[in-house]
């Protein structure tokens, strides 16, 4: 049976690039996002290249719906060998505008649903003695910025991944984060930033290059995390 990856956040940019990179190596791909049309288009594109792809529409922010989502993933491809968690979980807002209510609203996507998915799929990985849990989020998780108050939730995710890595690395499961301080090409954010700023003050990033970096991290299992630019 081919290995499988579930791509949570299979939107334009990095999610699609990750799906294509793993499909290239023979993985069955399960695509998860809120809008069906882009998923169907990507699945058809992957199928034309000979890959097997499944589409599931879901709002990952609905933590209570994770058990149902997990059942759909299992029905499509069994327990996944790799989880890629790339749903945009940060938010641009001045840190002086952050309130307890806004901070609470950030947590389902940034942390709660990821934890729920890990609870669903980590046990089979541990039973097999193999698996990977990968996340890619904004670089403000590593270093706070006054205009990205939502990064406090990403910092919580980063801490969780670090702790999870320490707990399961010697049991065959690789956990890693990629923290990106760049505007990813082919995304609405990249287009908006380019229009507003002419790309001043922020580098851009090729999603295929980032996907290759994640793939290399997974295959070599030498790094707990990497940052981009400056990943190493």
């Amino acid at each position: 049976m081919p290995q499988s990856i579930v791509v949570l956040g299979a939107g334009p940019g990095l999610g699609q690039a990750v799906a294509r990179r793993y499909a290239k190596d023979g993985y069955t791909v399960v695509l998860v996002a809120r809008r069906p049309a882009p998923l169907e288009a990507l699945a058809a594109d992957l199928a034309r290249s000979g890959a097997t792809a499944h589409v599931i529409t879901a709002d990952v922010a609905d933590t209570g719906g994770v058990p149902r989502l997990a059942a759909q993933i299992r029905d499509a491809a069994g327990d996944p060998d790799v989880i890629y968690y790339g749903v945009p979980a940060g938010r641009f807002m001045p840190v002086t505008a952050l309130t307890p209510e806004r901070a609470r609203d950030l947590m389902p996507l940034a942390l709660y649903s990821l934890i729920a998915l890990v609870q669903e799929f980590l046990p089979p990985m541990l039973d097999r003695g193999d698996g990977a849990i990968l996340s890619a989020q904004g670089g403000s998780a590593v270093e706070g910025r006054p205009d990205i108050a939502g990064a406090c939730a990403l910092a919580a995710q980063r801490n969780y991944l670090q702790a999870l890595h320490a707990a399961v690395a010697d049991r065959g499961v690789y956990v890693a984060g990629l923290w990106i301080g760049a505007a990813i090409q082919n995304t609405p954010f990249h287009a908006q930033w380019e229009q507003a700023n002419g790309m001043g003050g922020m580098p851009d990033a090729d999603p295929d290059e980032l996907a290759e970096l994640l793939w290399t991290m997974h295959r070599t299992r030498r790094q707990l995390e990497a940052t981009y630019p400056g990943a190493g």
Side-chain angles (χ1 to χ4, degrees):
M1 184 175 180
Q3 292 184 298
S4 62
I5 180 171
V6 56
V7 178
L8 295 129
L14 184 51
Q16 292 192 10
V18 168
R20 290 192 176 97
R21 181 60 188 86
Y22 276 79
K24 178 181 174 182
D25 210 63
Y27 278 70
T28 293
V29 181
V30 181
L31 305 167
V32 180
R34 289 181 298 176
R35 295 187 297 137
L39 295 184
E40 296 287 358
L42 177 57
D45 186 45
L46 293 173
R48 283 190 292 270
S49 69
T52 299
H54 304 276
V55 168
I56 298 174
T57 55
D59 182 1
V60 182
D62 177 15
T63 304
V66 167
R68 181 168 55 86
L69 171 59
Q72 290 176 286
I73 293 168
R74 290 191 182 99
D75 287 344
D79 288 311
D81 297 278
V82 182
I83 297 171
Y84 167 73
Y85 195 81
V87 291
R91 186 176 299 172
F92 280 83
M93 74 174 78
V95 69
T96 52
L98 186 64
T99 63
E101 293 76 20
R102 286 181 169 180
R104 183 184 61 235
D105 291 344
L106 295 168
M107 296 306 288
L109 267 182
L111 187 62
Y112 300 158
S113 291
L114 174 59
I115 292 174
L117 287 158
V118 168
Q119 291 298 305
E120 290 282 347
F121 296 122
L122 178 61
M125 291 182 182
L126 293 174
D127 289 343
R128 293 192 306 266
D130 188 39
I133 299 166
L134 311 173
S135 179
Q137 298 289 341
S140 55
V142 178
E143 183 175 356
R145 289 181 46 168
D147 56 337
I148 312 179
C152 62
L154 295 182
Q157 182 188 130
R158 182 185 181 220
N159 184 281
Y160 172 67
L161 292 171
Q162 290 174 338
L164 190 61
H165 174 89
V168 301
D170 63 353
R171 300 176 65 184
V173 178
Y174 176 64
V175 180
L178 174 59
W179 313 107
I180 305 163
I184 301 174
Q185 297 167 9
N186 306 327
T187 62
F189 174 75
H190 183 275
Q192 293 164 8
W193 185 272
E194 188 173 33
Q195 182 176 15
N197 302 280
M199 293 314 297
M202 181 181 292
D204 65 352
D206 182 342
D208 292 333
E209 181 180 346
L210 296 175
E212 190 66 34
L213 174 56
L214 271 172
W215 170 262
T216 300
M217 290 171 65
H218 176 197
R219 303 317 294 177
T220 60
R221 301 189 176 213
R222 294 173 184 163
Q223 296 174 262
L224 160 63
E225 59 184 21
T227 58
Y228 184 97

